Amino acid sequence: PTEAAIDVTFWQCKPQSNLQIVPIGRPIANTQIYILDSHLQPVPVGVPGKLYIGGDGLARGYLNRPQLTSEKFITNPFNNSKSERLYFTGDLARYLKDGNIEFLGRIDNQVKIRGFRIELGEIEAVLTTHPQVNQAVVIPQEENTGNKRLVAYVVVNSEITTVQLRHYLKAQLPDYMVPSAFVTLDSLPLTPNGKIDRKALPTADGDIVERDTEYVAPRTEVEQILTNIWQELLPVSFVSIHDNFFEIGGDSILSIQVISRAKNAGIQITTKQIFQHQTIAELATFANTIVSYDCKQSIVTGTAPLTPIQHWFKEEQTEELQHYNQSVLLQIPPIELQLLEKAIEKLISHHDALR
């Protein structure tokens, strides 16, 4: 990199090495390469970490940009001299067993979606291997609900459908790495330097995202309720009863919200049913209406029979019953002891199993 030198590592290619990748190798003379975790501690072999460069070839910083310099050039924690610094490259790398370094990608292109860390470049690389795709860019996009989803922008050389692209990715990537939406463009926007301008990509709303099916309105009351719920949760302006839940932005986490809202509306469905019947037309035929019951929540009195687990516990005949427990340590702010005692007494009197 410019911040250090044109070359800071080297790798000697050996015949019949049978490597699937080309490593970036080892540091050159008078140069140090560190792969560190978020606490600036060295990572073990094989574990991904942030790539830092140190040594004689390191630049002093960025001209007239002190803030950026302080972010990228840090004090070397492995050197007693305060003037020695390390440059944070923004790359993700790991050590191989033979001591060489493997480049894994850019950290600024790594995102977290639904709890999964995703390397956007990996998705783009797979997309561009499709013979009908010339260019591809994948970005995270925030929905109205505050959640993020993946959107793929592609430039193609011949007509191809979203279904074909999705199936192509599913054959090579896990489901959580398959974009929720695909947008076909004539060309990708570029910066004055000729790089792809990700900020200039159009928002993937319902007007430009290709739909796999024609719109069909809900036909029954259950279909109408499910349609309203999907439209509230999913990043689309309208939902057809033949739209696939997972192909228009749904996932396992959103399916739980669908179940909860459907229950409040008097419809009973399960997560398993959503995975088995992924359209509203199919799901509505298996949905059950809920009969509401008015349960009394007054104070319970009298004797209560033992629960099955209590029966088992008594039958064990353990010598010291008090040693069979599950310990939980809770830290609470200062509280009046009398109030705590009253709260526990109310719990005991109200719940049968505690008496």
Side-chain angles (χ1 to χ4, degrees):
T2 307
E3 291 83 355
I6 297 176
D7 291 315
V8 292
T9 63
F10 75 98
W11 177 67
Q12 185 176 358
C13 180
K14 298 180 180 179
Q16 300 178 344
S17 57
N18 295 324
L19 292 176
Q20 299 298 318
I21 50 93
V22 177
I24 58 177
R26 304 168 184 266
I28 62 175
N30 300 318
T31 300
Q32 296 86 47
I33 299 293
Y34 298 91
I35 303 179
L36 310 177
D37 60 17
S38 57
H39 303 289
L40 296 180
Q41 295 298 312
V43 298
V45 173
V47 176
K50 300 176 181 178
L51 187 67
Y52 291 82
I53 302 175
D56 294 344
L58 206 62
R60 295 181 179 178
Y62 297 100
L63 182 62
N64 299 328
R65 301 186 69 181
Q67 183 176 352
L68 183 60
T69 297
S70 63
E71 291 176 2
K72 294 291 187 178
F73 292 85
I74 66 171
T75 302
N76 189 340
F78 309 104
N79 194 299
N80 295 328
S81 174
K82 294 184 178 181
S83 61
E84 291 290 331
R85 290 172 299 164
L86 296 179
Y87 166 65
F88 172 46
T89 64
D91 294 332
L92 195 67
R94 66 178 177 181
Y95 287 110
L96 300 176
K97 292 181 180 179
D98 60 1
N100 284 303
I101 299 171
E102 177 187 3
F103 171 76
L104 299 175
R106 293 287 299 173
I107 292 177
D108 50 12
N109 281 341
Q110 187 183 76
V111 298
K112 193 173 185 179
I113 306 287
R114 312 295 188 199
F116 294 99
R117 292 195 179 277
I118 299 172
E119 179 63 49
L120 299 179
E122 186 176 351
I123 306 174
E124 295 169 353
V126 174
L127 271 174
T128 52
T129 60
H130 193 288
Q132 293 172 258
V133 176
N134 290 339
Q135 290 179 291
V137 172
V138 179
I139 64 171
Q141 188 176 93
E142 189 166 334
E143 307 167 1
N144 296 331
T145 59
N147 296 322
K148 290 183 179 181
R149 63 168 179 163
L150 294 175
V151 179
Y153 297 83
V154 295
V155 177
V156 299
N157 52 46
S158 60
E159 187 175 348
I160 187 172
T161 65
T162 296
V163 176
Q164 291 173 310
L165 288 174
R166 184 173 284 111
H167 288 171
Y168 184 77
L169 289 180
K170 282 186 175 181
Q172 303 180 63
L173 296 173
D175 288 343
Y176 64 83
M177 294 184 68
V178 178
S180 302
F182 292 82
V183 180
T184 302
L185 301 176
D186 294 331
S187 61
L188 297 178
L190 302 177
T191 65
N193 295 331
K195 297 182 179 180
I196 296 175
D197 190 353
R198 296 172 183 266
K199 295 182 180 179
L201 291 167
T203 302
D205 54 27
D207 298 327
I208 65 173
V209 176
E210 180 187 345
R211 302 183 67 86
D212 299 336
T213 60
E214 295 182 0
Y215 175 75
V216 178
R219 302 160 298 185
T220 66
E221 183 181 357
V222 174
E223 288 183 352
Q224 183 63 63
I225 293 174
L226 292 176
T227 299
N228 293 341
I229 294 172
W230 285 26
Q231 288 180 168
E232 291 171 1
L233 294 174
L234 299 176
V236 292
S237 54
F238 59 92
V239 175
S240 168
I241 62 171
H242 296 302
D243 283 341
N244 186 293
F245 176 74
F246 297 98
E247 293 182 357
I248 59 174
D251 56 36
S252 58
I253 296 178
L254 287 177
S255 70
I256 297 174
Q257 297 186 46
V258 170
I259 293 169
S260 176
R261 297 193 185 193
K263 183 179 180 180
N264 293 336
I267 298 175
Q268 185 176 15
I269 53 178
T270 64
T271 305
K272 183 178 180 181
Q273 288 175 331
I274 293 179
F275 276 84
Q276 290 178 334
H277 314 288
Q278 300 179 5
T279 67
I280 290 176
E282 295 177 1
L283 187 61
T285 61
F286 293 91
N288 299 319
T289 55
I290 300 174
V291 178
S292 60
Y293 296 94
D294 185 17
C295 300
K296 295 181 180 180
Q297 297 295 323
S298 57
I299 299 298
V300 180
T301 59
T303 60
L306 294 177
T307 63
I309 190 64
Q310 288 174 327
H311 272 293
W312 172 86
F313 181 67
K314 294 292 185 181
E315 292 170 356
E316 287 296 297
Q317 297 181 350
T318 306
E319 292 183 3
E320 298 183 67
L321 295 177
Q322 72 276 13
H323 286 181
Y324 191 91
N325 56 49
Q326 291 182 338
S327 300
V328 178
L329 178 63
L330 301 176
Q331 185 176 1
I332 59 175
I335 188 173
E336 294 184 25
L337 185 59
Q338 292 181 345
L339 294 177
L340 181 60
E341 290 177 346
K342 286 184 178 181
I344 294 176
E345 289 175 359
K346 288 289 186 181
L347 285 172
I348 293 174
S349 63
H350 184 74
H351 293 280
D352 300 9
L354 295 179
R355 286 187 281 109

